[in-house]
Amino acid sequence: NRYEQLPLKDNKKDEIAEMTTTYNALMHRLEDNYRKQQQFVGNASHELKTPLTVIESYAKLLQRRGFHNEEVAYEALAAITKETANMQEMIMQMLQLASANENVEMDLALTNIEVLLQEIALMMQQTYAREVHIQGHAFTLLTDAVKLKQLLYIFIDNARKYSEKPIVIMMNPAKQIIIQDYGIGIPEKDVPHLFERFYRVDKARNRKTGGTGLGLAIAKELADILHLTIHINSTVGVGTTVTISRKDVGANE
Ligand code: ADP
C-alpha cells in the first residue's frame, strides 16, 4: 500500500484504505458477473448448436432422398419439427434468464393457492392425460400469482416428465406446497447442482424428453423474487419431493 508512505493524516489513510477495500470488492463482483455472463453465452451457443446440427443433417437428407422416398421425408420433417420446437423453448427460457436481473415488477394480490394448483392440474389432465391429486387445506398468500404459477408449473411439469404415475400435491398448515412424484428420482450427488443453468442429470435421456436444463434455474430466480425457498428431496427409483416454503415465515402472522 503505497499511500501508507504519503504525508497524510492517519484518518485520511483510513479513509483511503476503506475506499480501496470497497473498490476491490466491487471490481471482484463485476468480474464475477462478467465471468458468469461469458459462461452463459458459451453454454448457450453450445446448447443451440446441437439441435441446429441435427436440423442441418435432416435437411440435407431431405434434399438428397426426400423427393423419392416418402418415409424418409416424413422422418426428416418430424425430426426437424421437434428440434425446432426444442430450440424455440430454449431461446424463450434463455431470454427469460437474461432479463431476470432487470427490475421486476411485482403484481401482489391475495392468491388462493388451491385455485392456482387446480388450474395447473386441469392443464396436465387435458394436455398430457396425467392425473394430479391436490390434498390438504387451501390457503392464501400475498404474492404475484402469475410468477408463482410459473414456478409451480416448472416443478409439476418436471414431476410429469420424470414419472409416469399420478402426481400428488399437498398444501400444509405451515403454508408449504409439497409436490410429490413417484418417478425415476435424482441421484444424491446431482441434487446440489439442479439449479445451475443447463444442468441435466442424464443428457442422453433429456435429448429424448426435450429438456433444456434451464427450468430449475428459472424456478430459482422466481423463488428469490417471490421470497420462497425450495427444498428437493429425492430417492432414485422411488421419487422426488419438492417443498416450497415462505422465507419470512412468522413475519406478519
Ligand atoms: P429440464 O428442462 O432438463 O427438465 P430442469 O432444470 O427443469 O431441466 O431440471 C434439471 C434436471 O433435473 C433434469 O434434466 C432432470 O434430470 C432432473 N429433474 C428435475 N426434476 C426431476 C424430477 N421430478 N424427477 C427426476 N429428475 C428430475
Side-chain angles (χ1 to χ4, degrees):
N1 282 337
R2 262 175 284 154
Y3 66 83
E4 293 281 8
Q5 278 113 49
L6 294 175
L8 287 172
K9 285 192 185 135
D10 275 351
N11 65 343
K12 275 283 164 226
K13 286 187 183 174
D14 287 348
E15 238 175 72
I16 296 174
E18 206 176 296
M19 264 161 54
T20 313
T21 313
T22 313
Y23 174 81
N24 283 342
L26 184 67
M27 286 315 281
H28 207 79
R29 242 181 42 210
L30 283 176
E31 276 167 20
D32 201 43
N33 280 347
Y34 180 71
R35 233 191 333 270
K36 280 189 188 141
Q37 207 73 19
Q38 290 288 92
Q39 197 183 7
F40 181 58
V41 172
N43 285 341
S45 39
H46 173 81
E47 294 288 338
L48 288 171
K49 243 183 230 162
T50 314
L52 205 55
T53 310
V54 179
I55 291 171
E56 190 186 21
S57 55
Y58 274 106
K60 280 183 182 155
L61 177 71
L62 198 57
Q63 218 167 21
R64 259 190 299 125
R65 295 178 47 209
F67 294 103
H68 318 292
N69 189 330
E70 213 170 78
E71 215 171 296
V72 169
Y74 276 117
E75 187 198 333
L77 285 172
I80 289 170
T81 309
K82 184 180 150 232
E83 294 298 332
T84 312
N86 202 351
M87 277 183 93
Q88 231 148 20
E89 168 81 9
M90 205 182 274
I91 289 167
M92 258 168 51
Q93 289 184 324
M94 284 174 188
L95 286 175
Q96 182 168 3
L97 277 171
S99 61
N101 293 330
E102 288 165 21
N103 282 340
V104 263
E105 273 196 31
M106 293 285 274
D107 188 7
L108 292 180
L110 209 55
T111 306
N112 184 326
I113 301 306
E114 191 177 27
V115 173
L116 272 196
L117 291 171
Q118 272 162 353
E119 285 169 9
I120 302 173
L122 186 67
M123 217 275 224
M124 288 290 154
Q125 177 67 49
Q126 289 174 341
T127 315
Y128 303 105
R130 180 67 65 89
E131 257 177 84
V132 179
H133 300 299
I134 300 169
Q135 304 172 349
H137 292 285
F139 61 82
T140 55
L141 283 181
L142 183 66
T143 189
D144 185 313
V146 173
K147 292 189 178 65
L148 180 60
K149 190 171 173 184
Q150 195 192 355
L151 173 129
L152 292 170
Y153 184 84
I154 291 170
F155 289 110
I156 298 170
D157 197 43
N158 275 348
R160 173 194 65 82
K161 283 194 290 188
Y162 303 109
S163 79
E164 279 163 6
K165 299 204 177 91
I167 299 158
V168 178
I169 305 176
M170 279 160 291
M171 293 171 288
N172 73 16
K175 294 202 173 187
Q176 288 176 315
I177 305 166
I178 300 159
I179 300 163
Q180 170 85 55
D181 72 60
Y182 301 92
I184 58 172
I186 304 160
E188 212 179 317
K189 67 168 176 47
D190 292 301
V191 173
H193 303 288
L194 292 176
F195 295 105
E196 290 168 15
R197 294 171 180 193
F198 301 108
Y199 194 86
R200 302 170 180 108
V201 174
D202 180 346
K203 284 223 172 215
R205 191 187 64 209
N206 267 75
R207 281 211 49 75
K208 265 194 272 159
T209 54
T212 59
L214 289 174
L216 292 184
I218 293 175
K220 178 73 176 64
E221 301 268 356
L222 286 167
D224 287 343
I225 295 170
L226 295 168
H227 297 289
L228 298 171
T229 59
I230 295 159
H231 183 78
I232 298 182
N233 197 0
S234 192
T235 310
V236 172
V238 177
T240 302
T241 310
V242 178
T243 306
I244 300 163
S245 324
R246 291 171 303 157
K247 237 179 224 167
D248 51 354
V249 181
N252 278 318
E253 277 152 274

